[in-house]
C-alpha cells in the first residue's frame, strides 16, 4: 500500500464552505487539497438565481458563483481532487482521509460536504428517477418544456424549484403537506404571483406512477384522508436535506439528524477536525453563512497547525 499524499489541510466538499476555507488556507501558504465528489459549488451550483449574496447588485447564477470561488481558491494554490470520501481515521497527529483513488493525510481536516436531498420514500420514486422524477430543476428544467409538473415541498428549495421550472413548464403544482409555507416571504411572493404556479395544500404524495416515465401522482389530503390522482409528466422533490456524514459515524460527534456538532470555532470533538456549512448542526443553510463558516474553520485550522507543530 502506497503512503498517503500529504497536505497541511484537507477540505472535504467543494461548495461555498469548502471553497471559502480553501481560499483562506491556500492564501496562508498552507498546502491545501479540496476533495469534491460531484460538481464544484455543491448545492449552490443548482441555484438558478442567488439574490442575497453580498456584493452582487444583480442576481448571480449559483454555478457561476461557484466557479469564481473555485478560481479564487486555486489561484492561491489550492489543489482539487474529483473523488468521494469513504472514511477518516486519526493516526497520532495525522488525519488519514480515504478515497477510491487513494489516501490523503494532513494534521487538519475541514468537513464541508454539505447535504443531499431527502427522498419521499414512496412507490415509484426510485424506479422513475431520471424518467420524470428529479431533485434539481436547474439541472433538468429544459426537459420539461410545455409539460405539467409538480414540486413537492414548502421551503426555500421548493419555491426556488417551482419558480425556475415555470420558465419551461406549462403548469407547475406545488404540493405541500401543510397550509402555509416555511419559505421566505420574498420567495413566496414571487411564487404566488406566477400565473403558472398553483398550490395544493394539506396534501402529501403517496405514490408516483407511470409505465416508462412519470404519468401521474397519487395524492392524499392529510386532513380529510381523501385520495386523488394528479396527471403530471414530472415531479421535483424538495422536502429537506440530509447531511453527508455517513462516513463519519464513530469518528466525531454527530447529532440525531446526522449533522456534525461544533463550537463557534467550527471545532469538532476531535482536535484538528473542523466542520463548516450545511453539514454542521444548526446551520441556517445560506451561501453567505457557509462561506463564513469556511473562513472561520480555516483560520482556526491554521492556528491549530501552527501550535501543534511547536516542540
Amino acid at each position: 500500500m502506497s503512503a498517503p499524499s500529504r497536505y497541511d489541510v484537507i477540505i472535504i466538499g467543494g461548495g461555498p464552505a469548502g471553497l471559502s476555507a480553501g481560499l483562506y488556507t491556500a492564501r496562508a501558504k498552507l498546502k491545501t487539497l479540496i476533495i469534491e465528489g460531484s460538481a464544484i459549488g455543491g448545492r449552490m451550483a443548482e441555484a438558478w438565481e442567488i439574490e442575497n449574496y453580498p456584493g452582487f447588485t444583480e442576481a448571480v447564477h449559483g454555478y457561476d458563483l461557484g466557479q469564481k470561488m473555485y478560481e479564487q481558491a486555486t489561484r492561491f494554490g489550492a489543489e482539487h481532487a474529483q473523488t468521494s470520501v469513504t472514511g477518516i481515521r486519526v493516526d497520532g497527529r495525522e488525519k488519514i482521509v480515504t478515497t477510491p483513488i487513494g489516501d490523503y493525510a494532513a494534521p487538519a481536516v475541514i468537513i464541508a460536504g454539505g447535504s443531499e436531498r431527502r427522498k419521499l420514500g414512496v412507490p415509484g420514486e426510485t424506479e422513475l428517477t431520471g424518467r420524470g422524477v428529479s431533485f434539481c430543476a436547474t439541472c433538468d428544467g429544459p426537459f420539461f418544456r410545455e409539460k405539467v409538473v409538480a414540486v413537492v415541498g414548502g421551503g426555500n428549495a421548493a419555491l426556488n424549484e417551482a419558480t425556475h421550472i415555470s420558465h419551461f413548464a406549462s403548469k407547475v403544482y406545488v404540493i405541500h403537506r401543510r397550509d402555509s409555507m416555511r419559505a421566505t416571504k420574498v420567495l413566496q411572493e414571487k411564487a404566488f404571483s406566477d400565473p403558472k404556479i398553483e398550490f395544493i395544500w394539506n396534501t402529501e404524495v403517496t405514490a408516483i406512477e407511470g409505465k416508462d416515465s412519470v404519468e401521474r401522482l397519487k395524492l392524499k389530503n392529510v386532513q380529510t384522508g381523501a385520495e386523488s390522482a394528479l396527471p403530471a409528466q414530472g415531479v421535483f422533490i424538495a422536502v429537506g436535506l440530509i447531511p453527508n456524514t455517513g462516513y463519519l459515524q464513530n469518528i466525531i460527534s454527530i447529532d440525531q439528524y446526522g449533522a456534525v456538532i461544533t463550537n463557534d470555532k467550527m471545532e469538532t470533538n476531535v482536535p484538528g477536525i473542523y466542520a463548516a456549512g450545511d453539514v454542521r448542526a444548526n446551520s441556517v443553510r445560506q451561501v453567505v453563512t457557509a462561506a463564513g463558516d469556511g473562513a472561520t474553520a480555516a483560520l482556526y485550522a491554521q492556528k491549530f497547525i501552527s501550535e501543534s507543530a511547536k516542540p
Side-chain angles (χ1 to χ4, degrees):
M1 181 180 295
S2 60
S5 300
R6 197 187 182 287
Y7 290 83
D8 296 316
V9 181
I10 297 170
I11 298 165
I12 301 171
L19 294 174
S20 177
L23 167 63
Y24 272 75
T25 56
R27 191 167 178 269
K29 306 300 181 184
L30 297 175
K31 188 178 182 184
T32 299
L33 177 67
I34 300 171
I35 301 175
E36 172 56 59
S38 54
I40 284 295
R43 296 201 55 77
M44 174 177 65
E46 299 176 3
W48 182 249
E49 291 184 340
I50 296 175
E51 297 180 317
N52 56 357
Y53 194 81
F56 292 86
T57 56
E58 300 292 335
V60 59
H61 194 292
Y63 175 84
D64 294 336
L65 183 57
Q67 290 301 305
K68 288 183 181 294
M69 289 182 174
Y70 174 74
E71 291 166 7
Q72 193 176 20
T74 55
R75 181 167 68 88
F76 284 102
E79 299 178 30
H80 171 221
Q82 185 78 30
T83 188
S84 58
V85 173
T86 56
I88 299 176
R89 68 180 187 274
V90 178
D91 184 6
R93 180 174 177 268
E94 298 287 278
K95 286 77 184 177
I96 312 299
V97 177
T98 59
T99 80
I101 63 173
D103 292 353
Y104 301 92
V109 170
I110 298 173
I111 298 164
S115 54
E116 61 184 27
R117 298 275 185 147
R118 187 182 301 277
K119 294 185 177 181
L120 293 175
V122 300
E125 180 181 31
T126 299
E127 295 85 347
L128 294 172
T129 293
R131 294 188 288 164
V133 174
S134 174
F135 296 85
C136 177
T138 303
C139 312
D140 299 331
F143 297 114
F144 295 89
R145 293 185 188 275
E146 299 306 315
K147 294 184 178 181
V148 176
V149 303
V151 175
V152 184
N156 288 346
L159 292 195
N160 273 321
E161 299 279 88
T163 54
H164 176 62
I165 199 66
S166 72
H167 294 299
F168 306 98
S170 60
K171 182 73 176 181
V172 180
Y173 292 98
V174 177
I175 302 167
H176 186 39
R177 67 187 320 276
R178 297 182 176 84
D179 59 3
S180 61
M181 292 279 166
R182 304 185 309 275
T184 61
K185 293 299 182 182
V186 170
L187 290 177
Q188 290 191 46
E189 290 170 2
K190 185 180 292 187
F192 290 144
S193 65
D194 192 320
K196 289 186 179 181
I197 297 176
E198 181 178 333
F199 289 82
I200 301 176
W201 304 104
N202 300 311
T203 299
E204 61 184 10
V205 175
T206 58
I208 302 170
E209 298 181 336
K211 184 177 179 182
D212 298 313
S213 61
V214 172
E215 298 175 8
R216 74 191 69 83
L217 307 181
K218 297 294 292 294
L219 307 180
K220 180 180 179 181
N221 186 290
V222 297
Q223 293 184 335
T224 66
E227 297 182 345
S228 61
L230 177 70
Q233 289 79 58
V235 55
F236 293 83
I237 298 168
V239 292
L241 301 170
I242 301 173
N244 290 320
T245 55
Y247 65 95
L248 294 172
Q249 301 300 322
N250 303 316
I251 299 168
I252 58 176
S253 294
I254 306 291
D255 72 8
Q256 60 182 321
Y257 305 107
V260 180
I261 298 171
T262 70
N263 60 19
D264 58 2
K265 298 177 181 179
M266 307 300 140
E267 296 170 327
T268 70
N269 62 308
V270 177
I273 299 182
Y274 304 80
D278 288 7
V279 76
R280 191 171 70 85
N282 301 316
S283 168
V284 295
R285 294 184 171 135
Q286 297 293 302
V287 174
V288 66
T289 55
D293 282 359
T296 300
L299 290 169
Y300 282 103
Q302 181 182 350
K303 183 178 179 182
F304 172 82
I305 293 167
S306 176
E307 293 181 349
S308 62
K310 294 177 181 177

